[in-house]
Amino acid sequence: LIQQTLAQGGFGITYLAIHTVLKRKVAIKEFFIKEYCDRNSDSQVSLGTAGSRDMVERFRAKFIKEAQTIAALEHSNIIRIFDIFEENGTAYYVMDYVEGESLNDMVNRRGALPEKEAVAYIERVADALKYIHQQNINHLDIKPSNIMIRQGDYRVILIDFGLSKQYDAQGDQTSTTPVGISHGYAPMEQYKQG
C-alpha cells in the first residue's frame, strides 16, 4: 500500500509503502526514466517512444538484474531487497525502509561531524565496499546522500546501486550502466568521455 513518494531520480521513483502481509514499512523502487517513460490514468507505464523503446527495455532489464544482484548480497551495511516484481508495464523492487536520514541530511542539519563519529561512518561504508568489491561489483555512486544512518542504532546502510557495474573473474564488465556523475564525488576517470 503506497503511502508517499520518497524520491525521484533520473531512472526511478522510490515510494514509502506498507507491506500488507508483513505489516511493516518498506521502500519500493519503480523503474521509471523521466525523459522516456509516461504514466496513464490507470498507472500503466509506457516505456518510451518507438525509437527509444529498445534502449529503455535494456535499462529495465538492467534494473531487474541490479535488484537481483543486491538481493543476493548479505551485509549489515547494505540495503536489503526481498522482492522483485513486474506490474503496470514496468518493474519494481521492494527493500527495507531505513527509518532515519542520509549522511548528507545529517551534515546539513548538524554541520561538520566530530572526527570520531565521521570515521566510524566511513569505516562502515568502507567495510560494505570491501564486501561488494569481493563480489566483483563497483558501486560507482558513493556520496553522502546514498549513505543512510538508521534512527536509534545509527547503523550505516549503503543504498542506490543504480550506477553500479558487475565484473566477471577476468575483470570484464558484465553489466551496462548509464553514465552518471555525482559532481564532487565521482573519480576523475568518470568525467572522461569515451
Side-chain angles (χ1 to χ4, degrees):
L1 180 64
I2 302 291
Q3 301 289 295
Q4 68 185 64
T5 300
L6 293 172
Q8 181 166 1
F11 285 82
I13 304 170
T14 305
Y15 304 97
L16 171 63
I18 302 295
H19 193 295
T20 56
V21 176
L22 298 177
K23 306 274 190 229
R24 70 175 191 185
K25 290 181 182 178
V26 295
I28 300 175
K29 188 167 184 178
E30 174 186 47
F31 175 76
F32 191 92
I33 301 179
K34 281 194 287 192
E35 288 81 24
Y36 297 104
C37 294
D38 214 356
R39 188 183 319 274
N40 69 21
S41 59
D42 295 331
S43 295
Q44 290 294 314
V45 174
S46 61
L47 300 180
T49 62
S52 65
R53 196 164 289 124
D54 285 345
M55 184 236 358
V56 172
E57 282 295 343
R58 279 194 315 275
F59 285 134
R60 182 175 126 158
K62 197 265 187 218
F63 178 88
I64 293 168
K65 185 177 179 186
E66 165 199 333
Q68 292 166 334
T69 298
I70 300 167
L73 300 176
E74 293 184 26
H75 192 282
S76 62
N77 299 115
I78 295 175
I79 194 69
R80 190 171 63 99
I81 293 177
F82 52 88
D83 198 9
I84 304 164
F85 62 96
E86 295 181 68
E87 197 170 308
N88 300 324
T90 191
Y92 302 83
Y93 59 81
V94 183
M95 58 193 149
D96 285 332
Y97 172 66
V98 180
E99 195 94 44
E101 64 184 332
S102 72
L103 188 57
N104 185 67
D105 290 343
M106 179 184 280
V107 170
N108 285 338
R109 179 176 55 79
R110 291 176 46 194
L113 301 178
E115 181 180 351
K116 185 176 180 180
E117 182 180 357
V119 168
Y121 294 146
I122 292 166
E123 287 174 343
R124 305 266 171 0
V125 171
D127 191 52
L129 290 174
K130 178 181 176 183
Y131 172 78
I132 66 170
H133 292 166
Q134 290 168 342
Q135 313 307 309
N136 297 321
I137 300 168
N138 279 338
H139 187 281
L140 298 176
D141 200 18
I142 301 297
K143 59 186 177 183
S145 60
N146 285 340
I147 300 166
M148 294 296 295
I149 310 301
R150 194 165 70 180
Q151 183 180 331
D153 64 3
Y154 299 98
R155 182 157 53 120
V156 174
I157 313 267
L158 183 59
I159 64 169
D160 199 346
F161 283 67
L163 297 180
S164 66
K165 291 186 181 183
Q166 287 185 274
Y167 298 86
D168 61 21
Q170 290 73 40
D172 295 321
Q173 186 176 317
T174 64
S175 62
T176 58
T177 302
V179 175
I181 296 173
S182 293
H183 293 284
Y185 298 100
M188 293 308 295
E189 58 269 21
Q190 280 185 256
Y191 288 86
K192 295 178 184 173
Q193 299 296 318

